[in-house]
Amino acid sequence: MRRAIELSAASNKAEGDGPFGAVIVKDGKITGEGRNRVGSTLDPSAHGEIDAIRDACRNLGTSDLSGCELYTSCEPCAMCAAAIWWAGIERVYFAASAVDSRQAGLGSGTLSEDIARPIEERSAPGEKMPGDEAIDVLKRWVG
């Protein structure tokens, strides 16, 4: 956890990065680490947890992080929680909660509420278009 907090403190506020750091651990050894780089990379998905997941996947040569744990300076947002789930990470440890983050003036906490709405009512509404060709690709892929 100490390394995750060190990474959060190393974030570049002047470039618009947030104070969030994370490490991935497997068998007691750090296999990936990351910090928020949203502003410096102009990538809204460059959160500390995602940065650490990408690093661990490169270092381990796999997208399957089963058997790994994640230590993060702050409770993961919905996007990071989804990435953690997809990666197969088995346990998450965090230092500050999402409530702590909001009370400090960071984050809005509305993503989970937004994605729970029907897609046409979300902040970036979606609309289904004709998809026969896309459905054919899916069917060919599986079978």
Side-chain angles (χ1 to χ4, degrees):
M1 183 59 77
R2 186 166 284 117
R3 180 63 181 149
I5 294 169
E6 288 171 0
L7 290 163
S8 73
S11 289
N12 191 334
K13 183 178 181 180
E15 291 189 3
D17 295 339
F20 306 102
V23 296
I24 307 286
V25 174
K26 184 167 188 170
D27 299 326
K29 180 182 175 194
I30 293 176
T31 59
E33 58 182 41
R35 65 177 179 81
N36 184 289
R37 299 173 193 271
V38 170
S40 59
T41 62
L42 304 177
D43 177 357
S45 71
H47 288 198
E49 296 91 340
I50 300 218
D51 201 33
I53 289 169
R54 290 172 178 160
D55 190 42
C57 289
R58 277 190 302 271
N59 291 333
L60 296 172
T62 182
S63 62
D64 180 2
L65 298 182
S66 297
C68 292
E69 298 173 323
L70 184 139
Y71 292 78
T72 180
S73 62
C74 190
E75 184 177 356
C77 70
M79 176 183 70
C80 292
I84 290 163
W85 184 84
W86 280 109
I89 292 170
E90 295 183 4
R91 189 149 183 93
V92 175
Y93 301 93
F94 59 93
S97 70
V99 171
D100 296 329
S101 179
R102 280 192 298 281
Q103 287 176 344
L106 298 163
S108 63
T110 61
L111 176 60
S112 295
E113 295 166 5
D114 194 47
I115 61 175
R117 293 185 195 116
I119 195 165
E120 62 276 359
E121 295 176 16
R122 295 180 189 167
S123 59
E127 177 181 339
K128 177 140 177 31
M129 304 210 34
D132 292 342
E133 291 176 39
I135 293 167
D136 288 343
V137 170
L138 297 174
K139 288 178 180 177
R140 283 195 309 270
W141 188 264
V142 294

